[in-house]
Structure formats: C-alpha cells, structure tokens
Amino acid sequence: MSIRKFSFNDDDHFVSWADEETAVSLGHVSQAVLDADRDVIVVIDTSSTCVLRVYGGQGFLMELEAPENSDFQYLLSDKNRGILVVCSERNSEGDILDWYFEIDLENRSLVKDGRSY
C-alpha cells in the first residue's frame, strides 16, 4: 500500500495522510516529512516527550528516541539517503553540535551520518 494525500500544517502542528484503506491524522507534531520513494512518513511527535515516529503504507513502523544527550531539531529529505534527522548534542565541553542521522528502517535505529553545519 502506498501513502497518498500527505499534508503537514506547520502552523497547527498537524499531519494527515491516507492509504488505500484508512486515513490518519496526528496532532502535536513539530515536523513531518514524506519519503515517497521509500513509502514512509517520519514525524517528530511532541505530544508528551519528543520522539521520532515512522509510519509506512502498512501503518505504524517504529518509535525512536533521540540519541543520548541529544534533542531532535528537524528533518530533511535527501533523495539518496532518505529522510535525515538533525539532532543537537551537547559535548563534554558544553558545546552544542548538530549531527545528521539516517534512519535505518531494517535495524530500527538512527545511524550517525556526519556533522550538520
């Protein structure tokens, strides 16, 4: 099944989409991005604690927390790597560094990809 009718309203923090059988609507979303090539939607959900949720054409796939000492900042769509997650991390000296993470759908994890400048 493929995702269609994707819509994200940045002002209302609301995302919606449909597949062939159901329609989905979520609130408390700071950002949502569709990766049509991989048939997934990635959502930064702020309803209680800030978590990353991944949905596919078959529905909910996984939930991921930010890496240790990090916070989710925003999402980017990259044609070759899919959706990238940018996280801010405080290092041992107290500096805040931003990092790109790829979403590994197979292993259900975030993989550090490099510095975000």
Side-chain angles (χ1 to χ4, degrees):
M1 298 184 166
S2 64
I3 296 170
R4 56 188 176 81
K5 296 183 181 178
F6 173 80
S7 174
F8 173 62
N9 186 319
D10 195 20
D11 295 328
D12 293 336
H13 305 283
F14 185 80
V15 63
S16 63
W17 69 90
D19 60 29
E20 284 81 8
E21 297 177 6
T22 59
V24 178
S25 298
L26 301 172
H28 304 286
V29 173
S30 66
Q31 192 173 9
V33 176
L34 168 66
D35 181 343
D37 292 339
R38 292 164 185 85
D39 199 32
V40 296
I41 293 173
V42 178
V43 172
I44 298 176
D45 185 329
T46 59
S47 59
S48 56
T49 59
C50 190
V51 295
L52 194 74
R53 292 203 169 101
V54 182
Y55 298 86
Q58 302 295 322
F60 177 77
L61 297 176
M62 73 179 104
E63 179 177 289
L64 299 167
E65 294 182 6
E68 190 173 341
N69 299 320
S70 298
D71 294 310
F72 293 122
Q73 294 302 311
Y74 57 93
L75 304 170
L76 296 170
S77 183
D78 183 280
K79 191 74 172 164
N80 296 321
R81 298 181 290 176
I83 297 172
L84 297 176
V85 182
V86 176
C87 295
S88 289
E89 174 184 284
R90 186 173 301 276
N91 67 13
S92 59
E93 289 81 35
D95 298 323
I96 297 176
L97 306 173
D98 289 345
W99 296 92
Y100 289 117
F101 287 83
E102 288 187 46
I103 302 169
D104 184 338
L105 295 172
E106 187 175 315
N107 294 311
R108 299 176 163 266
S109 64
L110 293 173
V111 178
K112 194 179 260 188
D113 188 55
R115 282 287 311 273
S116 169
Y117 294 96

